[in-house]
Amino acid sequence: MAATTLPAPTRRRTKKPPRHQWLATLGAAARTRRGAIGLGLAGFVVLVAVIGPSVEPYSSTAFVTTPFSQPTGQFLLGGDTLGRDVLSRVLDGGWVLLIMAACATAFGVIVGATAGISAAYLRGKVDGIIMRTVDVILAFPSLVFALLLVSILGPKLWLIVLAVGFTHAPAVARVLRSATLDISERDYVKAVELQGVKPSKVMRSEILPNLISPLMVETGLRLTWSIVLMAGLNFLGFGQPPPTPNWGYMIQENRIGLSSNPWAVIVPAALIALLTIGTNTYTDAVARVAIGVERKPEQAALIDELPIGQAA
Amino acid sequence: MSTVTAEAAEPSAPQASLRLEVRDLKIDLTSSGADVVSEVSFSVHAGEVLGLVGESGSGKTTVALALLGYARRGLTISSGGIYLDGENMLLLKPAELRALRGAKVSYVPQDPSAALNPTLRIGTQLREALSSHPDVSGDVDARMIEVLADARLDASTGVLKRYPHQLSGGQQQRVAIAMAFSCRPSLIVLDEPTTGLDVTTQRHVLETVRSLCRSYGVAAVYVSHDLAVVGGLVSQVAVMYAGRVIELGSTEQVFNAPVHPYTRGLLAAVPSPERAEILVGVEGQPPRPGRRPRGCAFAPRCSYAIERCTVETPQPVVAAGRAVRCLRASELGSDMPRRRGLLVSPVEEGSEAILDLKGVSANYGHVPVLHDISLQVAPESCMAVVGESGSGKTTLARCIVGLHPNWTGEMDFDGTALVKGARKRQKDLLKRIQYIFQNPYTSLNPRKTISQIISQPLEHFFRLPASEREARVARVLEDVSLGPDFLSRYPDQLSGGERQRVAIARALVVEPDLLVCDEVTSALDVSVQAVIVELLRRLQHERRLAMIFITHNLALVRSIAQNTVVLCEGRLVEAGPVEQVLANPQDEYTINLIKDVPKLVTHVSNAEPALDPA
Amino acid sequence: MAAQPAVVGASVPGTTLPRMDRWKMDHPLGALVVWRAALGIVTLFVVSIVIFLATEVLPGNAAYAVLGHTATPQRLHALEIQLHLNRGLFDQYWVWLSGLFTGKLGNSLANGDPVWGQVAPRLVNSAVLVFISGFVGSIVGVVLGAIAALRKDGWFDHITSVFSLAVTSLPEFVVAIALIILFATVVSHLLPAVSLLPPGTYAWDDPKLLILPAATLVIVIVPYIHRMMRAAMIEALESDYVEMARLKGVPQWRIVLVHALPNAIAPTIQVIGLNYLYLAGGIVIVEDVFNYPGIGQGLVNAVSDRDIPTIQVIVVILAAFYVFMNILTDVVALLATPRRRIVR
């Protein structure tokens, strides 16, 4: 009987958007070529870091060969600056970085998003205070800010996590604030506000579902940045205390032996590079799917042929 | 205004040379090869203006750009010929084409504020139009002055030194027109050049275009969705639907006695400022480019469609003196669609107003936008608020519903004073006054299903068992002529008209007493606008609602309202029953407004099928 | 007294506009500079308080922090006097702040030499590095981005896009190590692997030493500028005004240089500014890798040595650079956008 009220025109998209939009977006991104490559690269490095500690051939801290010895059948990647097995140190040196980066990202995104959304929706003084704080934090380059905190409180791991997470918060807050400002001005939010619905409910049921895309993209970007920053701090010598291996510091301690055994530097550097390239590429794919980074040529070409509101 | 039509109807000089001939033009999507435009043919003579009419998705802009040998990225002109003064443009080399554009064929864009480069001064942009074609432009400085005068721009005001954003919309469009005429082209393509302008400026711009075309013997193609504008300007009309020209003939033939069912539908949907009539729209929506159905593209929406229409693609046939692309053209004959007159019952004298505004003034920040507005809305009646952009009509609506708290004065709703801002109002009051937003593309949350969107206010205002709630949602959906299969859909799966129906359903589901409609059809095509306006009129009548209908379109007022007020620059300049205000306006502003509104003359004056235009 | 809206004629005679407001309207650029400068000074002031409090007060007594286990009452007392820790908090801050302006910053805790004497030459070296790599990186990024946009979806566009996506996310030290492996150790020995400068010499005395650190930073910033320029240029090339120019028969070179480029440059300037800010942080690691004697390396050393006066000075310099660059970026971007520069 429905069919009689209106002729059913051909639909462009007959598939229903699923309930968990974000899962669908992640999946769709993984199915693009870019996304698949990114996920593959990052997945490979994560696998090495996670499985590594249980398959390392030697103890990562034992002196088993001569310093900077070339790779042999016994020591596949040769020896490091103190004669430890590079392969074992590589296998053991990634998981802490991953955990710390993930925690810092979670911390940064949660703090930043909360600050940004509240600033935008509550406006007024709250907005002023939050955004001026953001300005002040942003005046320190991220690494400098982290170094400052470490110099004050000492190189503790949890502190590095907090410091790195904290440097992300302002950027996340800015992005989420402007996204929230945009959405809270939309007519569909006004329509609900007009019924006298409470602000907290408006934020939860009308605004938040529309922030999922920017949140996902921000999280991806921040994860990449956490890894870069964290590895940088490790490289500078702020991280787990020696002799525990980590990829960042391995590059630092082994680079004097570059001409004897370059593998002690190349392999950890390559793993870090693959990881960040992987997360960044996947994030890019997510952004393309979720936000639509570029207009499809057809849409651009037919912009004047589409209904007014749709073209905007 | 009747003189306007007479002028347009003048047959072009019989000896006038053929300027433009389009033959079997086909334009495809580069990626999929699906056609956006196909089998388009027409011709234009010197001094003649051809109107290319169609709604969104018809391909009219794509055709217009192709007349300059241009296709947007993603589109390819795949076959056909465009002959300008006998030369096929599509065979030219890129350098030759560049030399042609601006010199022999020029373009007036839809939105001059976007088409003028924001970082360059007007003078630079105008000079460039000339200096890019040194062989035809002659002495640039002398020509600049001439061209400005042609477009009725005063060069002494320093307009050349200004940047585009420092000019008004009307001035920007005059600059674009000056550029288009600067090299004295053979052909000018005008792509909805008056869309963003108010009616008075629109009329002036149209007059300029018309006189320039005539005095320089230029052929022109005028692209528009607005049949009334086209009717007063052009001598030939090509009606486009889904990428094809479905009816092509003289303006008198097509507008007085259309043959194609789509043309009939389109004309029936155009509101008349002179007679109260029930608007008849065309249900459904046009197919998207590349998704055209087999057979006649209009068949799914056509009330005359037969089995054959869905399998056989109609070829153009000559019927009643014009080319028509309809399988049933010869059986249908030509006829003006008739609309039933609408009996507007005047509001009873002395009935207590449900909404009473006394001395309402409003500011945006520190800028005053409304001054001392007083009006009364009678229960079960519709009040139209008419005004052009900047008149403050939307602000007035937003003050009433509580979206805009920055006002002073008194508002009384059914005996209760309305406080400023929705947050401070009582729940019951919020329920009884409902608001429908202008743009249905932004007023529905894209992350919610239609069912969630409509039941949200029910959940907020009533404590109902789920079954009762569902029943009410289904019922209101049926009221706005949407089936239950819409319940699980998301807004981006709906057309503009369907979205606006959902917005209406969301407002009506709580059984309000006053419905405030803010330009609810301005984002819709005219055929859909008619459907929505008629739906609102019917619902207002059936549900005995009080309604405030805000519009910039004076012609719509008769089809829906009993009373009207006219706003101008934040002041109420005229108020009264619709019939009285439209037929016998008192204020000078209203008089001019009514005079400047373009009208489909023939359509209104001849309810009978038109005969020869003599 | 209502403020006049900006759209209405600014200097209408007879309006009761306060002079200040009218000036703001007639000189939007001046108003912006004044406003941003004021905001910048406030931010810097807060930053200085944060740095001061963080390094001197929060972890208890800085003297303890420096001396650690080796603290004896006598040494503690001597250090407290040196750091003015025996005075009140406000006094301490005041001494420190006035020191910042007069250059009397006290002595380094690491080696006892005057802080300013150590930081000044490092500052010069870092400035050279930042501006050379910022300049080269901006030019390369803008040119690559513009070409990619003009040849959108061509092979050049694809290669640069993939390359920029990959490089965007690389840590500086990975890029630096790769360059060292390629040009200074394993693969070839064309360039020095470290940029140690003899004391008393500056970076320009031996330009060869600058190449690898600068190249690292250029590689790191180019992708951002390239992507922004590409996007802005594509937007400009697909805009109505470029379409209009094509339909007017304007020659292609003029469309690119006169119509598209000026419109694409304005948003790109913002990103170039951001990248200078990024460089201010990026030098920390790059200078460390190459042993380049700039303030970045100075900061890492100072943090390892817990040399608090040096840390404070370097962080304040970096923050001041940030604030100044932000203002400069806004002003330049505004100059490139007539729509914002001129009110009707």
Side-chain angles (χ1 to χ4, degrees):
Chain A
M1 55 146 230
T4 56
T5 54
L6 252 194
T10 40
R11 299 272 162 211
R12 187 165 54 97
R13 286 166 51 187
T14 40
K15 222 167 48 176
K16 263 192 249 170
R19 198 168 159 72
H20 290 294
Q21 188 78 32
W22 62 279
L23 273 179
T25 308
L26 292 183
R31 283 190 293 279
T32 63
R33 199 170 61 154
R34 235 171 241 254
I37 292 173
L39 209 55
L41 292 179
F44 167 72
V45 180
V46 170
L47 216 62
V48 169
V50 171
I51 299 180
S54 51
V55 297
E56 49 179 358
Y58 304 96
S59 159
S60 60
T61 52
F63 308 109
V64 288
T65 176
T66 44
F68 294 129
S69 56
Q70 294 272 335
T72 60
Q74 196 181 357
F75 304 103
L76 290 172
L77 294 176
D80 80 343
T81 180
L82 294 175
R84 294 166 294 200
D85 177 38
V86 170
L87 179 62
S88 304
R89 287 181 72 75
V90 164
L91 290 173
D92 199 20
W95 61 275
V96 176
L97 172 73
L98 290 184
I99 292 173
M100 286 171 66
C103 292
T105 306
F107 178 73
V109 169
I110 290 170
V111 170
T114 312
I117 296 173
S118 329
Y121 200 69
L122 301 174
R123 311 267 168 102
K125 274 187 196 146
V126 180
D127 188 17
I129 292 170
I130 291 178
M131 292 328 284
R132 290 294 82 76
T133 312
V134 161
D135 279 347
V136 169
I137 301 176
L138 277 178
F140 302 93
S142 310
L143 189 74
V144 172
F145 186 82
L147 278 179
L148 190 68
L149 277 183
V150 169
S151 72
I152 300 163
L153 301 172
K156 302 181 179 70
L157 292 190
W158 63 268
L159 189 73
I160 292 176
V161 168
L162 285 192
V164 170
F166 208 65
T167 59
H168 293 322
V172 178
R174 280 202 169 171
V175 172
L176 266 293
R177 176 174 177 270
S178 71
T180 309
L181 276 183
D182 176 27
I183 287 165
S184 58
E185 284 302 312
R186 301 266 172 99
D187 286 346
Y188 57 79
V189 176
K190 299 263 168 239
V192 177
E193 283 173 347
L194 265 186
Q195 299 162 13
V197 175
K198 280 190 302 231
S200 59
K201 174 128 198 267
V202 174
M203 291 181 76
R204 201 172 57 239
S205 66
E206 304 296 323
I207 295 180
L208 203 57
N210 288 288
L211 288 176
I212 285 171
S213 298
L215 259 177
M216 281 194 305
V217 174
E218 262 317 289
T219 307
L221 288 176
R222 293 302 134 201
L223 181 63
T224 307
W225 270 107
S226 293
I227 297 165
V228 169
L229 261 182
M230 209 76 89
L233 283 169
N234 288 345
F235 174 79
L236 292 176
F238 305 99
Q240 303 109 295
T244 319
N246 75 58
W247 295 341
Y249 195 65
M250 281 179 74
I251 299 170
Q252 177 78 283
E253 62 184 358
N254 293 331
R255 70 190 166 107
I256 46 165
L258 251 184
S259 32
S260 322
N261 182 14
W263 301 110
V265 170
I266 292 175
V267 173
L271 283 171
I272 293 173
L274 290 181
L275 180 60
T276 54
I277 290 174
T279 54
N280 199 45
T281 308
Y282 182 60
T283 304
D284 190 72
V286 171
R288 274 161 197 270
V289 172
I291 297 171
V293 174
E294 278 163 39
R295 252 190 338 217
K296 284 195 197 107
E298 287 85 358
Q299 269 173 299
L302 298 173
I303 199 89
D304 287 340
E305 309 283 6
L306 295 173
I308 302 149
Q310 228 169 13
Chain B
M1 188 229 35
S2 54
T3 56
V4 164
T5 320
E7 281 170 10
E10 262 174 16
S12 48
Q15 303 308 321
S17 55
L18 184 66
R19 287 284 197 211
L20 171 75
E21 195 184 358
V22 178
R23 271 188 228 152
D24 257 346
L25 181 65
K26 185 162 177 287
I27 303 171
D28 297 338
L29 285 176
T30 313
S31 52
S32 61
D35 60 309
V36 172
V37 164
S38 73
E39 297 171 56
V40 168
S41 304
F42 56 83
S43 55
V44 193
H45 291 83
E48 191 186 47
V49 185
L50 173 120
L52 200 56
V53 174
E55 297 186 289
S56 51
S58 64
K60 58 186 187 301
T61 296
T62 306
V63 170
L65 290 171
L67 298 182
L68 292 102
Y70 182 84
R72 291 195 169 148
R73 204 166 64 82
L75 294 177
T76 311
I77 302 178
S78 55
S79 65
I82 298 171
Y83 298 86
L84 184 63
D85 291 334
E87 188 179 22
N88 189 351
M89 241 191 262
L90 301 181
L91 299 178
L92 295 179
K93 296 191 186 78
E96 295 168 325
L97 206 52
R98 184 194 72 70
L100 198 77
R101 289 178 188 152
K104 280 195 77 183
V105 50
S106 61
Y107 181 76
V108 178
Q110 185 173 98
D111 179 4
S113 67
L116 293 172
N117 192 322
T119 55
L120 297 179
R121 293 177 198 275
I122 297 296
T124 314
Q125 304 194 44
L126 197 54
R127 180 176 293 274
E128 174 184 71
L130 289 161
S131 56
S132 296
H133 305 286
D135 47 326
V136 290
S137 60
D139 177 27
V140 171
D141 289 296
R143 199 59 172 275
M144 293 258 288
I145 295 167
E146 207 180 307
V147 158
L148 284 176
D150 278 349
R152 296 181 210 169
L153 274 165
D154 189 355
S156 63
T157 54
V159 65
L160 294 178
K161 288 238 160 67
R162 287 168 179 258
Y163 287 98
H165 72 275
Q166 295 171 300
L167 304 184
S168 71
Q171 284 175 312
Q172 289 173 340
Q173 196 53 282
R174 286 181 184 282
V175 170
I177 289 171
M179 283 200 291
F181 279 93
S182 63
C183 290
R184 303 271 181 271
S186 303
L187 170 71
I188 288 195
V189 179
L190 302 109
D191 187 3
E192 307 220 29
T194 62
T195 303
L197 307 177
D198 61 62
V199 290
T200 307
T201 317
Q202 175 176 321
R203 189 172 62 88
H204 291 161
V205 168
L206 286 178
E207 274 167 10
T208 308
V209 168
R210 186 159 44 223
S211 76
L212 284 173
C213 284
R214 194 169 312 129
S215 50
Y216 295 122
V218 179
V221 172
Y222 191 101
V223 176
S224 183
H225 70 281
D226 190 330
L227 287 93
V229 166
V230 169
L233 180 75
V234 309
S235 45
Q236 280 216 81
V237 177
V239 183
M240 287 193 70
Y241 185 81
R244 287 186 170 86
V245 173
I246 52 106
E247 186 156 358
L248 172 66
S250 75
T251 310
E252 291 74 36
Q253 289 171 332
V254 176
F255 282 6
N256 288 346
V259 173
H260 198 285
Y262 175 65
T263 318
R264 296 176 188 219
L266 210 52
L267 287 164
V270 177
S272 158
E274 321 218 315
R275 237 168 64 97
E277 292 170 318
I278 292 179
L279 296 184
V280 187
V282 187
E283 292 282 357
Q285 58 178 328
R288 282 180 168 261
R291 310 254 164 179
R292 297 196 170 120
R294 218 154 73 91
C296 173
F298 186 63
R301 300 172 75 186
C302 181
S303 47
Y304 300 94
I306 50 173
E307 192 69 36
R308 222 177 109 212
C309 295
T310 60
V311 281
E312 199 174 316
T313 307
Q315 293 305 312
V317 293
V318 175
R322 87 294 303 266
V324 184
R325 208 178 265 278
C326 176
L327 292 172
R328 304 186 66 194
S330 52
E331 323 164 36
L332 293 177
S334 68
D335 194 5
M336 194 54 225
R338 299 187 187 205
R339 293 195 295 224
R340 278 193 295 134
L342 183 63
L343 203 60
V344 184
S345 44
V347 177
E348 282 171 45
E349 289 283 326
S351 61
E352 185 84 3
I354 187 164
L355 181 71
D356 190 352
L357 270 56
K358 285 198 192 91
V360 171
S361 300
N363 283 355
Y364 248 108
H366 290 294
V367 189
V369 283
L370 282 179
H371 309 271
D372 193 24
I373 306 287
S374 298
L375 60 85
Q376 287 82 37
V377 180
E380 302 176 27
S381 82
C382 176
M383 159 77 83
V385 177
V386 183
E388 299 189 279
S389 60
S391 63
K393 58 188 188 302
T394 289
T395 307
L396 180 65
R398 293 166 80 91
C399 289
I400 294 169
V401 297
L403 271 179
H404 186 85
N406 191 358
W407 55 271
T408 56
E410 277 177 50
M411 286 196 205
D412 190 274
F413 177 76
D414 202 14
T416 324
L418 285 181
V419 292
K420 294 159 196 172
R423 288 239 186 276
K424 295 180 192 143
R425 291 186 186 173
Q426 288 166 359
K427 213 169 175 180
D428 180 56
L429 220 51
L430 292 173
K431 190 202 78 173
R432 294 178 64 194
I433 304 178
Q434 289 289 317
Y435 184 64
I436 301 175
F437 288 84
Q438 174 172 3
N439 187 347
Y441 292 95
T442 60
S443 67
L444 307 178
N445 192 333
R447 292 275 185 252
K448 299 201 161 183
T449 61
I450 302 311
S451 156
Q452 286 171 321
I453 288 170
I454 300 178
S455 43
Q456 192 272 334
L458 271 186
E459 286 164 27
H460 180 70
F461 288 117
F462 303 94
R463 297 178 144 273
L464 291 175
S467 58
E468 167 69 11
R469 205 164 57 218
E470 280 161 25
R472 282 208 197 184
V473 171
R475 214 180 313 141
V476 79
L477 211 53
E478 200 171 310
D479 274 357
V480 297
S481 314
L482 294 180
D485 54 325
F486 278 84
L487 283 172
S488 57
R489 293 196 191 155
Y490 285 83
D492 65 353
Q493 298 169 305
L494 270 56
S495 71
E498 288 163 351
R499 283 165 188 248
Q500 203 56 293
R501 287 171 205 254
V502 171
I504 294 170
R506 171 174 63 186
L508 292 182
V509 75
V510 297
E511 314 268 331
D513 295 324
L514 173 67
L515 194 59
V516 181
C517 305
D518 183 9
E519 291 255 38
V520 289
T521 60
S522 66
L524 305 174
D525 273 321
V526 64
S527 62
V528 182
Q529 164 178 286
V531 177
I532 296 292
V533 168
E534 175 49 23
L535 174 71
L536 280 171
R537 192 198 61 80
R538 181 172 58 79
L539 289 170
Q540 184 258 329
H541 186 71
E542 283 172 9
R543 297 188 166 223
R544 299 166 162 268
L545 284 166
M547 185 153 90
I548 296 180
F549 187 86
I550 300 198
T551 183
H552 70 280
N553 188 347
L554 198 67
L556 270 180
V557 168
R558 281 195 195 252
S559 303
I560 188 154
Q562 287 89 45
N563 289 315
T564 185
V565 295
V566 179
L567 289 187
C568 170
E569 287 172 9
R571 286 173 213 282
L572 199 150
V573 295
E574 186 118 17
V578 169
E579 184 54 39
Q580 186 191 317
V581 171
L582 267 70
N584 190 15
Q586 300 301 309
D587 186 83
E588 199 184 339
Y589 174 77
T590 323
I591 295 171
N592 283 326
L593 192 65
I594 293 174
K595 188 181 80 192
D596 291 339
V597 170
K599 298 167 188 82
L600 267 180
V601 195
T602 49
H603 169 49
V604 179
S605 52
N606 299 312
E608 297 301 312
L611 302 171
D612 275 344
Chain C
M1 224 292 319
Q4 204 77 1
V7 283
V8 181
S11 35
V12 187
T15 48
T16 50
L17 221 55
R19 277 172 53 199
M20 190 59 210
D21 279 10
R22 198 182 300 170
W23 183 82
K24 258 198 245 173
M25 239 170 278
D26 291 348
H27 306 274
L29 194 64
L32 179 99
V33 173
V34 169
W35 168 244
R36 294 304 308 259
L39 209 66
I41 289 170
V42 172
T43 307
L44 265 186
F45 181 68
V46 177
V47 165
S48 75
I49 293 177
V50 169
I51 293 170
F52 174 79
L53 287 181
T55 46
E56 301 236 356
V57 178
L58 272 186
N61 192 316
Y64 278 116
V66 174
L67 295 173
H69 309 300
T70 62
T72 62
Q74 292 84 352
R75 294 184 64 184
L76 257 181
H77 186 66
L79 194 63
E80 271 176 14
I81 290 173
Q82 189 194 337
L83 296 175
H84 311 291
L85 293 180
N86 51 343
R87 302 201 203 168
L89 193 61
F90 181 78
D91 267 6
Q92 287 181 40
Y93 177 67
W94 181 246
V95 168
W96 179 70
L97 192 65
S98 47
L100 276 179
F101 286 100
T102 55
K104 290 183 191 127
L105 296 161
N107 294 337
S108 159
L109 297 181
N111 51 21
D113 294 336
V115 169
W116 185 239
Q118 290 189 337
V119 171
R122 286 180 178 276
L123 186 57
V124 174
N125 286 334
S126 287
V128 169
L129 185 57
V130 164
F131 285 105
I132 286 183
S133 36
F135 183 74
V136 175
S138 308
I139 303 276
V140 174
V142 165
V143 170
L144 290 184
I147 296 176
L150 286 171
R151 301 267 179 274
K152 186 172 180 335
D153 296 327
W155 59 268
F156 182 84
D157 185 29
H158 280 297
I159 291 175
T160 48
S161 290
V162 167
F163 189 72
S164 93
L165 185 64
V167 174
T168 313
S169 50
L170 287 182
E172 302 91 339
F173 64 90
V174 171
V175 176
I177 291 290
L179 289 182
I180 290 176
I181 289 175
L182 286 177
F183 297 108
T185 52
V186 183
V187 180
S188 70
H189 288 85
L190 298 173
L191 293 163
V194 289
S195 311
L196 274 174
L197 288 170
T201 62
Y202 284 102
W204 53 78
D205 293 329
D206 190 358
K208 224 179 169 184
L209 298 181
L210 263 172
I211 294 179
L212 283 187
T216 307
L217 290 173
V218 167
I219 289 174
V220 174
I221 63 168
V222 159
Y224 291 94
I225 299 169
H226 161 263
R227 292 181 112 189
M228 186 66 223
M229 186 64 197
R230 176 179 178 273
M233 193 73 181
I234 286 173
E235 196 186 322
L237 285 172
E238 285 179 2
S239 68
D240 285 12
Y241 52 81
V242 163
E243 182 171 85
M244 187 65 219
R246 287 191 204 288
L247 297 177
K248 274 197 305 195
V250 175
Q252 175 71 8
W253 65 267
R254 199 177 152 86
I255 286 175
V256 173
L257 294 182
V258 178
H259 284 269
L261 206 59
N263 283 290
I265 273 293
T268 310
I269 287 171
Q270 301 272 9
V271 170
I272 290 176
L274 276 178
N275 273 288
Y276 272 100
L277 303 178
Y278 172 79
L279 285 176
I283 54 171
V284 174
I285 283 187
V286 171
E287 291 181 358
D288 184 86
V289 175
F290 292 100
N291 276 321
Y292 182 88
I295 51 172
Q297 190 201 32
L299 181 69
V300 175
N301 293 346
V303 169
S304 307
D305 297 341
R306 314 201 105 193
D307 181 357
I308 286 168
T310 308
I311 296 175
Q312 288 173 332
V313 172
I314 293 178
V315 176
V316 166
I317 289 173
L318 290 173
F321 176 75
Y322 170 89
V323 170
F324 171 74
M325 251 350 257
N326 252 341
I327 298 172
L328 190 69
T329 305
D330 275 8
V331 171
V332 176
L334 197 69
L335 281 175
T337 320
R339 195 175 2 205
R340 285 176 61 212
R341 190 174 71 216
I342 301 169
V343 254
R344 320 184 158 218

